[in-house]
């Protein structure tokens, strides 16, 4: 995994997906959109999975595994 890809995925995992889940939860509550728990839960599950992959890649890189 290149540094550029890692940095982009890290941004997605730390900033974009949590912000998207929060935005959808808030707007769904205000506007009465359906399936809000399922959608927010799905976004959060993808975020946790991505975070786990990034943690593994970071650990491998720090141990000298490189790209």
């Amino acid at each position: 995994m290149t540094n550029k890809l890692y940095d982009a995925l890290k941004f997605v995992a730390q900033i974009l997906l949590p912000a998207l889940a929060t935005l959808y939860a808030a707007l769904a509550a205000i506007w009465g959109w359906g399936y809000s728990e399922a959608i927010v839960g799905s976004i959060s599950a993808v975020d946790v999975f991505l975070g786990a992959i990034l943690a593994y890649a970071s650990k491998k890189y720090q141990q000298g595994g490189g790209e």
Side-chain angles (χ1 to χ4, degrees):
M1 178 180 304
T2 66
N3 286 340
K4 187 175 181 179
L5 176 59
Y6 177 84
D7 289 341
L9 291 175
K10 187 175 174 183
F11 171 79
V12 169
Q14 290 184 333
I15 306 296
L16 185 66
L17 289 177
L20 179 62
T22 302
L23 175 65
Y24 190 87
L27 292 177
I30 293 168
W31 294 101
W33 296 346
Y35 304 105
S36 61
E37 289 182 17
I39 292 171
V40 171
S42 296
I43 293 169
S44 298
V46 170
D47 190 32
V48 169
F49 180 75
L50 183 57
I53 291 171
L54 291 172
Y56 173 78
S58 177
K59 184 176 182 180
K60 185 176 175 182
Y61 181 81
Q62 290 173 3
Q63 291 176 344
E67 295 181 12

